[in-house]
Amino acid sequence: MDMERRADTPIAAGRQPANLWRKALDAIRACNRLGHVVRRSTSYTAITIHHHDGHSDADADSWYPAAAAAAADVDGGSLKRLLKEMDEECFRRLGGGAGVAAKLASHPERGIAGDADDVRRRKADFGVNACPKPEFKSFFGHVRDALSDVFLIALLVCSAVSLGVGIKEHGLKDGWYDGASLFLAVFLVSSLTAVCSHRQARRADKLASESADTVVTVVRAARRQEVSTFDVVVGDVVILRSGDAVPADGVLLHGHGLRVDEPHPGPVEIQAERNPFLASGVKVLDGHGSMLVTAVGTDTSLGEALRSHTDPHPATLQERLEGHTSTVGKVADAVAAVAFTVLTARHFTGCGTGMMPLLDKGVALAATLMLTLSMKPVVMDNALVHRLSALETMASVTAICADKTGTLTLNQMSVAEFWVGAEQPSSATAIAGGVVNLLRQGAGLNTTGSVYMPDNASPPEISGSPTEKALLSWAVACLGMDAATLRRSFSVLEVEAFDSHRKHSRAVIRDNANGVVLAHWKGAADVVLAGCSMYVDTRGDARELGVEQRNMLEKVSNDMGARGLRCIAFACKQVHRTEPSEIDDEAGLTLLGLVGLHDPCRPEVKAATEACTRAGVAVKMVTGDNIPTACAAANGCGIMSSDDSNGVVIEGPEFVGMPPARQLEMVDKLRVMARSRSGDKQVLVERLKQKGHVVAVTTGEGTSDARALGAADVVLYMRAPGARVAGSVRDIIILKGRFDAVVAAIRMGRCVYNNFQKMVQFYLTVNVVAIVVNFVPAVTTGDTPLTTEQLLWVNIVIGALSALAVATDKPSDALMDSPPVARTAPLVSNAMWRDLAAQAAFQVAVLLALQYRGRDVLGTDAKAMVFNVYVLCQVFNKFNTREMEKKNAFAGVLTSSSTMFLVFIAGMLVLQVVMVEVLGRLAGAERLGLGQWGICVAMAAVSWPVAMAAKFIPVTSPCRSSSHANALC
């Protein structure tokens, strides 16, 4: 078998560019062919002739000279209807993908002309690839929404009535205080709510804009280039790979094994001849291909859906919080009803207004304030959170399934080692020319990547997957490959892209000079070697691949893997017939060479995985590499260690082939899944979830993760600015290219959860005490010591500052020394109920003693002191709730991380002084003397030793089984 192509074989010279008359004639013919489909608005056709100096006849024969006329006259509505109705008969009648491309002045292989004028014209004619954002609501719009709350409207009515009655009974000078204070409360609630909502809306809009601006690969003027999704235009040829989201509506031009995840009915196979339609937003599950864009922006199916779709997605913590507030609110309503009945019987009407402490409004405002500030550190710390629920989920994550390439590694592959036969040549000059030519073919034609040479002086522009880019770069730099000459010399009959199941790619090519047909294989060394019966040496001699030589080559491959190199093998065979039976036969291959690719680990990965392990979060590597390569990378990343005797390393097919019961037994100990195929990671995620884990999937390039992303509880995407996002999933945290942001997301998730608990404990204490302290005197003496204005002050103003004090506490490293939060753990833990009961009992006892015996003991009206002690107890109790498990309430309070906490505590105290001493008439409280202030502070300070004593009482909390996952209760 002659495996060598003679080095002196002349390359067929391209024909000279056609003259201008021929160009004009071709353009006129192209326009006339459109006449029966497209209606003309004029009786003539304007032709613009462009002369492309130095280009081949492919340029001369292109239809770019007719781009302006064709694009201007295309009936865009018919193309939109073609896709919307998915009419295959109409598609075939228009000439298939090539025919539709012609009508859009595009080319199935070369794409659109792509110059600035062409892109601008297409955007003007067909629109831009962006859905119009809903009109951004102004600050006053948020104020209007806040004031539309039914409860606030009722409160406004009450304040108006109170103002009118007060002025009538007490005159203007003394009768306006109660009504004005209610108006002030409504103003504070609506203003603070509007400010927080406006800030959240702006941040959400910014995140949405940044995440939507991803990058896709398009072909323009025969050149692959990456552009923003917003710059994709009708007529563009878009390259699709597994893991991509389809950026616009279109039809498939070429593809192999392309399957997309349609919402209904699910995974669908897309073919150029049958069912070629692709809708914007669907995920590519498998395969690769190129599509022609036929509709963008609001004209797409996704754009139409977005115009009529709303996606209310309240965070789970907020839903759980609403449950608590609703329960306590109902209790308050019931108590208020009883008190009002008793007061009515005593002929005291109107005293029941102080019974309802506005729990719902205060908690909602505090939660909004806290979450708004809690999100900011995550945005600054190399991560973007799309939904708060994703951050909340991170507090409960117990397992992370991490893709190796692009997640644990830098995704910057390069060829580190090269073998031909049993030799390691120093350069291409040490290899026979025939072997070099075959290697050029294997690298340059058996690929989905491309090489573009702008000119002789500029470096080549190489596109494709990281593996393809590394091999193409090596072929150009080390083998002297000229991609343009190579493609002129050979016709590519078929390309079967790399598949995670087969672990190899294949191309069938024909030598244009002598008609010889070759099939090239490229892929995992062990897979390709299994089909080889011959190999070539550096002199170009073909030799039989015996047992000894095979063992030697397998040792070379294993040695590369042990050093963390991905070993790729090149092989080929001559094909006498192009029938599928002969092409698909993987036997009888001749090995051309072995290449070792190096992809260094991210420098921050090892420390990050060690931090995850300490926090009870298991990091599991999932990779397509063989076991030696995967283990070397896992050791370098800190996922495995030499003393890890219980760790399991297994290949994906072996794991998936096991019975589910055996998979469940193994899944906790699994450290590395090698030789992972598309779908294997999904099975791993599902088994982990069945075992009780909360699973995050961390993906880099995302080429085989589309299924696993949908199965995960949360997705962590290693996205550098401008990189493409793998499909749409429920909850995404974008790590902005750094794996240690995983640790930051876990820490912040736990911090947010703890902050919610602190806030809930604060409000439960405030309102339980208020209900009891007002109810008991109301039914015994007909008096309510805490007025509506005072309760509004505590719930809204003091509560808002309390939430800010909590939210500005920086996440401590101590959060990573505890196991994860159990997803099913109650928001109010047993420890919280213990502390709440102790504080509530203490405060109720002190306040009722002041109410009943204050005048006798202190010789003054105790109402002002009841209000003051009540507020000061809540302020001082903030120190107790900072560290719910620590007995020392002041631990770490003087560190730099607590500066803002102390600032807000000081702000609460200052505002309370102003409320009592300056705005006492509005609050219904008299001014206090210095001695009375001292008594109030002393009484409130007793809350500290009470909290410390309560924490000596042991409590138990329900935990998840440690055999399932480490979980914090």
Side-chain angles (χ1 to χ4, degrees):
M1 179 177 62
D2 181 15
M3 295 297 297
E4 274 189 45
R5 178 181 179 270
R6 294 180 56 190
D8 58 350
T9 299
I11 298 173
R15 291 175 293 169
Q16 294 298 319
N19 57 38
L20 298 182
W21 285 108
R22 179 178 174 182
K23 289 187 176 182
L25 181 60
D26 288 342
I28 293 171
R29 286 174 176 170
C31 292
N32 288 337
R33 284 196 296 268
L34 302 180
H36 69 284
V37 178
V38 182
R39 292 186 299 172
R40 301 287 183 178
S41 59
T42 60
S43 59
Y44 61 90
T45 301
I47 302 297
T48 303
I49 307 283
H50 298 277
H51 184 63
H52 299 274
D53 293 333
H55 283 219
S56 67
D57 60 321
D59 294 321
D61 293 337
S62 70
W63 44 65
Y64 290 145
D73 290 331
V74 165
D75 181 2
S78 64
L79 292 173
K80 298 169 193 172
R81 289 192 299 274
L82 170 68
L83 185 67
K84 187 175 182 180
E85 299 171 5
M86 295 188 178
D87 189 340
E88 293 186 23
E89 180 61 32
C90 177
F91 177 70
R92 286 192 290 269
R93 196 165 54 246
L94 290 173
V100 176
K103 291 167 177 56
L104 292 173
S106 184
H107 189 282
E109 303 293 339
R110 301 177 59 81
I112 63 174
D115 55 82
D117 290 338
D118 183 30
V119 173
R120 183 172 58 252
R121 182 172 55 249
R122 290 173 187 272
K123 287 184 177 180
D125 291 342
F126 301 104
V128 296
N129 194 31
C131 296
K133 297 179 183 178
E135 185 177 351
F136 190 76
K137 191 176 295 183
S138 66
F139 172 75
F140 294 104
H142 288 289
V143 173
R144 183 176 61 251
D145 289 346
L147 289 173
S148 64
D149 185 271
V150 176
F151 194 88
L152 288 184
I153 293 174
L155 197 58
L156 282 173
V157 173
C158 292
S159 61
V161 172
S162 178
L163 184 64
V165 173
I167 293 175
K168 180 180 179 181
E169 293 186 357
H170 303 290
L172 180 62
K173 183 177 180 181
D174 298 319
W176 63 274
Y177 293 110
D178 288 344
S181 61
L182 290 176
F183 272 118
L184 178 62
V186 173
F187 171 77
L188 287 174
V189 171
S190 57
S191 298
L192 287 174
T193 301
V195 168
C196 294
S197 299
H198 188 64
R199 289 193 62 184
Q200 274 194 318
R202 287 201 311 181
R203 180 165 290 135
D205 182 70
K206 180 180 179 181
L207 289 179
S209 299
E210 183 168 346
S211 61
D213 187 12
T214 57
V215 167
V216 295
T217 302
V218 298
V219 180
R220 293 179 178 175
R223 173 187 176 188
R224 286 193 185 187
Q225 51 188 285
E226 293 185 337
V227 301
S228 166
T229 51
F230 297 145
D231 290 328
V232 172
V233 295
V234 169
D236 259 330
V237 174
V238 178
I239 305 300
L240 297 176
R241 300 191 295 270
S242 177
D244 281 345
V246 177
D249 285 359
V251 293
L252 184 68
L253 296 172
H254 307 287
H256 177 77
L258 192 72
R259 296 173 68 247
V260 299
D261 189 13
E262 295 276 4
H264 302 287
V268 174
E269 185 173 357
I270 306 296
Q271 297 178 358
E273 299 80 16
R274 182 176 58 83
N275 189 28
F277 304 103
L278 289 160
S280 175
V282 301
K283 294 179 292 186
V284 178
L285 297 177
D286 294 303
H288 72 100
S290 60
M291 65 167 281
L292 175 72
V293 175
T294 59
V296 295
T298 55
D299 293 329
T300 64
S301 53
L302 179 62
E304 292 178 356
L306 290 176
R307 285 202 299 265
S308 59
H309 177 67
T310 57
D311 183 25
H313 192 91
T316 307
L317 276 176
Q318 289 174 308
E319 291 175 341
R320 295 165 71 182
L321 183 62
E322 288 172 4
H324 285 287
T325 59
S326 175
T327 301
V328 178
K330 290 175 182 177
V331 172
D333 286 340
V335 172
V338 173
F340 182 78
T341 302
V342 173
L343 292 173
T344 302
R346 291 170 172 267
H347 304 287
F348 288 98
T349 59
C351 294
T353 58
M355 289 301 302
M356 181 58 195
L358 279 182
L359 177 68
D360 292 338
K361 283 289 114 183
V363 175
L365 174 61
T368 304
L369 281 170
M370 191 195 72
L371 295 176
T372 301
L373 288 184
S374 294
M375 295 285 280
K376 189 174 182 180
V378 185
V379 175
M380 295 172 61
D381 198 3
N382 295 315
L384 293 175
V385 182
H386 278 216
R387 295 192 191 277
L388 176 69
S389 54
L391 194 59
E392 173 199 341
T393 304
M394 289 305 297
S396 301
V397 163
T398 58
I400 299 175
C401 296
D403 183 27
K404 170 182 166 283
T405 303
T407 300
L408 301 174
T409 63
L410 290 171
N411 205 11
Q412 298 173 358
M413 291 189 180
S414 59
V415 174
E417 200 167 312
F418 171 46
W419 289 73
V420 174
E423 302 176 63
Q424 196 172 0
S426 58
S427 66
T429 58
I431 309 172
V435 178
V436 173
N437 285 334
L438 290 170
L439 287 169
R440 289 170 181 167
Q441 297 165 25
L445 299 176
N446 183 14
T447 180
T448 56
S450 67
V451 179
Y452 177 77
M453 293 290 296
D455 52 60
N456 293 331
S458 302
E461 298 177 6
I462 299 175
S463 63
S465 69
T467 301
E468 299 286 12
K469 290 170 70 174
L471 293 174
L472 289 172
S473 298
W474 167 73
V476 171
C478 299
L479 301 181
M481 183 184 74
D482 185 335
T485 301
L486 193 66
R487 291 200 173 269
R488 285 196 298 266
S489 302
F490 293 88
S491 297
V492 180
L493 305 180
E494 178 188 342
V495 174
E496 189 177 82
F498 179 84
D499 182 88
S500 59
H501 287 269
R502 296 184 303 269
K503 296 296 180 184
H504 67 75
S505 63
R506 186 194 65 210
V508 180
I509 63 174
R510 182 174 59 235
D511 192 325
N512 293 334
N514 54 31
V516 173
V517 178
L518 296 176
H520 279 272
W521 269 260
K522 178 185 70 183
D526 54 343
V527 175
V528 175
L529 271 172
C532 292
S533 59
M534 306 284 289
Y535 74 97
V536 294
D537 57 22
T538 55
R539 294 180 297 277
D541 297 329
R543 299 178 179 274
E544 183 180 356
L545 186 59
V547 175
E548 182 180 347
Q549 291 80 11
R550 187 180 297 275
N551 291 338
M552 185 274 297
L553 291 171
E554 288 176 351
K555 183 178 183 303
V556 170
S557 174
N558 291 335
D559 288 345
M560 287 187 188
R563 288 179 280 119
L565 301 182
R566 176 182 294 180
C567 190
I568 303 294
F570 290 90
C572 70
K573 71 175 180 178
Q574 186 170 346
V575 180
H576 298 286
R577 299 188 308 273
T578 58
E579 298 174 359
S581 59
E582 182 171 357
I583 295 174
D584 293 338
D585 184 9
E586 298 181 9
L589 301 182
T590 297
L591 181 69
L592 301 177
L594 300 176
V595 170
L597 298 178
H598 178 56
D599 187 11
C601 288
R602 293 178 180 271
E604 75 276 4
V605 162
K606 189 168 185 178
T609 53
E610 290 173 352
C612 289
T613 301
R614 289 196 306 272
V617 180
V619 180
K620 303 177 186 297
M621 176 189 288
V622 182
T623 176
D625 293 337
N626 58 25
I627 286 181
T629 305
C631 288
N635 282 313
C637 295
I639 295 174
M640 291 182 61
S641 60
S642 56
D643 57 351
D644 186 6
S645 57
N646 294 324
V648 172
V649 178
I650 193 171
E651 291 188 350
E654 182 182 353
F655 179 80
V656 173
M658 291 179 174
R662 176 61 178 150
Q663 292 173 345
L664 290 173
E665 292 177 6
M666 181 182 294
V667 74
D668 282 327
K669 299 178 181 179
L670 192 147
R671 301 290 183 269
V672 175
M673 179 183 281
R675 284 284 181 248
S676 174
R677 306 165 304 176
S678 177
D680 291 352
K681 186 188 286 191
Q682 178 189 7
V683 176
L684 174 61
V685 171
E686 290 172 349
R687 294 296 175 266
L688 285 167
K689 292 175 70 174
Q690 288 179 15
K691 201 69 181 290
H693 286 277
V694 178
V695 184
V697 169
T698 305
T699 182
E701 191 64 18
T703 55
S704 60
D705 291 338
R707 300 175 185 177
L709 298 184
D713 293 294
V714 64
V715 172
L716 306 172
Y717 194 82
M718 296 293 294
R719 176 194 172 201
R724 56 196 178 96
V725 174
S728 61
V729 289
R730 291 170 297 177
D731 299 323
I732 300 180
I733 296 180
I734 297 178
L735 305 181
K736 302 179 83 170
R738 290 190 60 86
F739 190 80
D740 54 2
V742 173
V743 179
I746 294 174
R747 184 167 51 237
M748 181 53 70
R750 295 183 179 186
C751 181
V752 168
Y753 187 88
N754 287 350
N755 289 348
F756 253 94
Q757 288 186 310
K758 296 172 188 177
M759 187 187 67
V760 169
Q761 184 166 347
F762 172 85
Y763 272 98
L764 286 176
T765 305
V766 165
N767 288 281
V768 167
V769 172
I771 290 171
V772 176
V773 168
N774 264 10
F775 176 75
V776 173
V779 297
T780 56
T781 66
D783 192 13
T784 53
L786 298 174
T787 67
T788 300
E789 294 82 357
Q790 292 169 351
L791 292 174
L792 287 171
W793 173 259
V794 177
N795 270 276
I796 296 174
V797 179
I798 301 300
L801 290 175
S802 171
L804 293 173
V806 168
T808 52
D809 256 0
K810 296 180 180 179
S812 65
D813 292 333
L815 291 168
M816 297 299 290
D817 295 331
S818 303
V821 176
R823 170 173 277 181
T824 56
L827 185 59
V828 182
S829 65
N830 290 344
M832 292 171 63
W833 284 121
R834 175 199 62 194
D835 297 343
L836 188 154
Q839 284 298 313
F842 162 70
Q843 293 182 26
V844 166
V846 170
L847 296 177
L848 288 181
L850 282 173
Q851 171 68 13
Y852 286 109
R853 306 296 298 170
R855 180 176 291 276
D856 298 336
V857 175
L858 302 176
T860 182
D861 183 12
K863 273 199 169 185
M865 294 191 66
V866 169
F867 169 58
N868 205 30
V869 171
Y870 174 60
V871 174
L872 291 177
C873 280
Q874 316 315 322
V875 175
F876 289 0
N877 193 34
K878 289 302 300 177
F879 289 89
N880 301 325
T881 59
R882 274 188 77 245
E883 297 289 348
M884 288 184 285
E885 299 298 328
K886 291 184 179 179
K887 297 179 177 63
N888 183 5
F890 302 98
V893 76
L894 298 180
T895 61
S896 59
S897 62
S898 301
T899 301
M900 292 306 299
F901 172 82
L902 295 176
V903 168
F904 282 110
I905 291 293
M908 293 185 211
L909 294 174
V910 170
L911 285 177
Q912 180 62 14
V913 172
V914 172
M915 190 63 172
V916 173
E917 300 299 325
V918 180
L919 304 176
R921 295 290 295 274
L922 288 176
E926 297 180 359
R927 298 178 64 179
L928 300 176
L930 190 60
Q932 293 171 320
W933 270 99
I935 293 173
C936 292
V937 171
M939 288 181 172
V942 179
S943 64
W944 291 333
V946 168
M948 182 180 296
K951 288 178 180 178
F952 281 96
I953 302 174
V955 293
T956 58
S957 297
C959 290
R960 290 164 61 181
S961 172
S962 59
S963 63
H964 289 179
N966 293 323
L968 175 66
C969 302

